[in-house]
Amino acid sequence: MIKFDKVVKDYPNGTHALRGVSFEIEDGEFVFLIGPSGAGKSTVEKLIWREEKATSGTVFVDGKNVNELKNKEIPFLRRKIGIVFQDYRLLPQKTVFENVAFALEIVGSDQKEIEKKVPTALSIVGLSKKADAFPSELSGGEQQRTALARAIVNAPDIIIADEPTGNLDPKNSIEIMKLLRAINNKGTTVIVTTHDKNLVDTMNKRVIEINKGVIIRDESNGGYDNEQ
Amino acid sequence: MSNKTVQFGRILKQSFKGLLRNKMMVFASFLVTVITLTVLGACFAVARNINHQIDLYIEKEYSLSVYLRASISDEEAKGFAKILDEDERVKSYEYVSKEDAYNDYRDNYSEEAFDYIFGEKDKDFLPVSFNITLYDSDQTGELLEKLILVNFNDINAEPGEDEVAENEVIWEYSSTEDLMNKVIKIRNGVNIAGILITALLVFFSVVIISNTIMLSVFARKKEIEIMNHIGATKYYIEGPFIVEGCLIGLAGAVAAVFILKGIYGLITGAMGEGGVTAGVFKLELLPFGSFGAAVIFGLIFVGCVIGGLGAMLAANRHIKN
């Protein structure tokens, strides 16, 4: 479970990113986080994976107050969270297989484990045949699917996708969303930030809308726009 | 293989990759480290040798050496010896005859130098001398005050040309106390200069290694960012850079040891067996082996610390959690 309790986040440059935000996300939920640029969506994500610390209020992930985590505990929090970015963040000199294996290497998996888990992850995202390709040889959709495979290969409890379809055409965007839904159906919590109205409307999931650092809407089975 | 071993293998692989990535900077860091550690090792060797020299004098226990005028013969010097025999402050003395002094020069100088000093002159050109040991070396000054007043009359010696019976017979003296004080001053000076120079060089080494590692960090910036997000530990992310720095320091230390051993060998070789003697002052270098282990382990340790420290500075500054 993720729980924000009256979370305030001010940046040193004077920006008030969040002004007292509270919400809860249950295990296994699928949530869209929407709002205009600069609304505070990214700050919410960064607070969850402890790239940033709340100025006041508490952020709980999996029952732990992440504000109180020691630096050496942070990597272990992040291993429970798979992160997908708009710009994929793949290593250009590594193949698809190696990019996915990278996530296992850093947590200390041995070669045997890597050879078992990477093909499974690649088959989930439908990239088994592209295992030896380099990112530059892939389409945007394929690169994002590689990033998704890397995010799920460690079997995280939570997937956070930051504008995952921002650089993709509608067809590929829908593919990525289908994958995220399939991952969610297996019990993984999925949080997606997006500007894509169509996707949000089609998926019909919980929507948390943030504007100017406050939650202005939290609606289950919501659409992109406030219809009330 | 355990997970830890696998992880360590990956860290080691990354550090070697890092070394190959910025060859020029790595080489520059290596050179500076070699210079730093060579100077450090040289200072250590000089200090050890000066201490050894001091020990040699302490061993001999001479407090005072006096040289009589050259006109005084071995026979006449017996009168002076009698004065020493009768003085209760004197524990013992070593008599160095004209012959002994002559042989000493002949044995310890090259033929050319010997010819230059003596030319046509024979052993009579040299003074006789006494190396005196006191019961209490604090009384050296008192004894010297007495001896310095001894004249030709006192020992029934015949004054030479341009000399009169009232002239003092002591031509020159040196007390080991003075010499020791000088040597200790030199040693302290060498130590302080060595520490200052080494500190400055260590600083340069740390800075340049830090810059080298910074380039390595920049080259892997994207990878580091991804590693951070996937949940790599600080140990896994920073390990390769620290190892990379330590490897530069280690290589520098090994090279410095070889350079020191080579130079030291050349110097001891040039000095020949038994060292160089100038009058009573004998310079003899310790064999490299006698302090080699301390130099090797010391330099390797310092090299690794310099490399590791430089790398840590770069990692702490440029790697965000």
Side-chain angles (χ1 to χ4, degrees), chain B residues 84-103:
Chain B
L84 293 179
D85 287 335
E86 286 165 359
D87 196 298
E88 52 199 24
R89 285 169 294 207
V90 176
K91 185 181 171 195
S92 65
Y93 60 86
E94 180 194 12
Y95 175 65
V96 182
S97 68
K98 284 175 184 284
E99 180 91 39
D100 294 337
Y102 187 78
N103 291 340

Side-chain angles (χ1 to χ4, degrees), chain A residues 49 51 71 75-76 78-79 83 85 89-93 102-103 105-109 114 150, chain B residues 1 3-4 6-7 10 14 17 220 222-223 225-234 236 320-321:
Chain A
W49 67 64
E51 188 175 326
N71 277 343
F76 300 94
R78 291 182 186 162
R79 287 176 193 185
I83 307 173
F85 291 98
R89 305 215 181 157
L90 300 174
L91 293 168
Q93 75 278 18
F102 188 58
E105 282 175 11
I106 64 147
V107 299
S109 303
I114 288 172
R150 184 180 63 197
Chain B
M1 265 193 293
N3 280 1
K4 282 250 160 75
V6 172
Q7 290 289 72
R10 282 176 188 141
Q14 272 305 331
K17 271 191 183 171
R220 292 184 64 206
K222 200 172 169 186
E223 219 173 309
E225 197 184 7
I226 295 169
M227 283 197 270
N228 255 323
H229 281 129
I230 304 177
T233 55
K234 191 180 161 80
Y236 189 81
K320 201 183 128 199
N321 262 329

Side-chain angles (χ1 to χ4, degrees), chain B residues 135-208:
Chain B
Y135 285 105
D136 176 2
S137 60
D138 289 344
Q139 292 177 324
T140 308
E142 278 175 39
L143 178 67
L144 187 60
E145 274 170 35
K146 176 186 162 192
L147 295 180
I148 219 159
L149 297 174
V150 174
N151 61 30
F152 281 87
N153 272 338
D154 296 332
I155 61 167
N156 295 320
E158 195 66 35
E161 277 173 49
D162 308 328
E163 284 166 352
V164 289
E166 285 76 26
N167 278 158
E168 299 90 20
V169 296
I170 291 183
W171 165 66
E172 187 67 275
Y173 63 86
S174 66
S175 83
T176 28
E177 222 180 332
D178 289 347
L179 187 65
M180 291 263 283
N181 284 338
K182 271 181 203 156
V183 173
I184 287 168
K185 265 188 194 159
I186 292 172
R187 181 191 56 184
N188 291 345
V190 168
N191 282 352
I192 291 169
I195 288 168
L196 288 178
I197 294 170
T198 306
L200 199 68
L201 285 168
V202 165
F203 174 75
F204 279 134
S205 301
V206 169
V207 168
I208 194 161

Side-chain angles (χ1 to χ4, degrees), chain B:
Chain B
M1 265 193 293
S2 75
N3 280 1
K4 282 250 160 75
T5 324
V6 172
Q7 290 289 72
F8 188 71
R10 282 176 188 141
I11 285 174
L12 218 55
K13 194 175 144 196
Q14 272 305 331
S15 23
F16 279 108
K17 271 191 183 171
L19 286 176
L20 296 174
R21 196 159 19 221
N22 314 302
K23 289 188 200 76
M24 281 307 287
M25 275 303 280
V26 167
F27 187 64
S29 308
F30 166 76
L31 273 189
V32 174
T33 312
V34 171
I35 294 168
T36 304
L37 296 178
T38 306
V39 170
L40 178 63
C43 290
F44 181 76
V46 169
R48 280 299 289 265
N49 272 297
I50 293 178
N51 281 337
H52 170 63
Q53 213 66 43
I54 291 170
D55 288 345
L56 279 184
Y57 278 93
I58 291 168
E59 237 170 62
K60 279 188 183 165
E61 286 178 32
Y62 299 154
S63 290
L64 185 64
S65 294
V66 294
Y67 301 84
L68 303 190
R69 291 181 192 276
S71 64
I72 294 170
S73 67
D74 285 314
E75 193 56 35
E76 289 167 327
K78 281 179 185 162
F80 193 84
K82 197 166 169 255
I83 294 172
L84 293 179
D85 287 335
E86 286 165 359
D87 196 298
E88 52 199 24
R89 285 169 294 207
V90 176
K91 185 181 171 195
S92 65
Y93 60 86
E94 180 194 12
Y95 175 65
V96 182
S97 68
K98 284 175 184 284
E99 180 91 39
D100 294 337
Y102 187 78
N103 291 340
D104 239 14
Y105 272 97
R106 205 185 45 209
D107 293 346
N108 289 308
Y109 284 83
S110 68
E111 215 170 297
E112 277 169 18
F114 186 76
D115 285 345
Y116 176 78
I117 295 167
F118 286 89
E120 295 296 302
K121 302 181 192 90
D122 64 6
K123 65 181 168 57
D124 285 336
F125 157 71
L126 291 169
V128 300
S129 59
F130 294 84
N131 295 323
I132 305 161
T133 307
L134 284 83
Y135 285 105
D136 176 2
S137 60
D138 289 344
Q139 292 177 324
T140 308
E142 278 175 39
L143 178 67
L144 187 60
E145 274 170 35
K146 176 186 162 192
L147 295 180
I148 219 159
L149 297 174
V150 174
N151 61 30
F152 281 87
N153 272 338
D154 296 332
I155 61 167
N156 295 320
E158 195 66 35
E161 277 173 49
D162 308 328
E163 284 166 352
V164 289
E166 285 76 26
N167 278 158
E168 299 90 20
V169 296
I170 291 183
W171 165 66
E172 187 67 275
Y173 63 86
S174 66
S175 83
T176 28
E177 222 180 332
D178 289 347
L179 187 65
M180 291 263 283
N181 284 338
K182 271 181 203 156
V183 173
I184 287 168
K185 265 188 194 159
I186 292 172
R187 181 191 56 184
N188 291 345
V190 168
N191 282 352
I192 291 169
I195 288 168
L196 288 178
I197 294 170
T198 306
L200 199 68
L201 285 168
V202 165
F203 174 75
F204 279 134
S205 301
V206 169
V207 168
I208 194 161
I209 289 178
S210 177
N211 279 319
T212 305
I213 301 300
M214 181 189 77
L215 290 182
S216 217
V217 170
F218 285 169
R220 292 184 64 206
K221 214 165 178 75
K222 200 172 169 186
E223 219 173 309
I224 291 168
E225 197 184 7
I226 295 169
M227 283 197 270
N228 255 323
H229 281 129
I230 304 177
T233 55
K234 191 180 161 80
Y235 157 80
Y236 189 81
I237 297 174
E238 296 186 4
F241 301 112
I242 311 287
V243 174
E244 193 181 330
C246 288
L247 285 175
I248 294 174
L250 179 68
V254 171
V257 167
F258 278 107
I259 290 171
L260 277 171
K261 192 169 186 299
I263 293 175
Y264 200 84
L266 285 177
I267 294 172
T268 40
M271 284 175 64
E273 215 168 306
V276 173
T277 307
V280 289
F281 192 77
K282 186 173 181 193
L283 186 65
E284 181 190 272
L285 289 185
L286 289 161
F288 188 77
S290 69
F291 57 88
V295 168
I296 292 167
F297 290 115
L299 291 189
I300 285 177
F301 175 74
V302 176
C304 288
V305 168
I306 289 174
L309 190 67
M312 262 187 248
L313 286 177
N316 276 338
R317 215 170 140 195
H318 301 288
I319 297 177
K320 201 183 128 199
N321 262 329

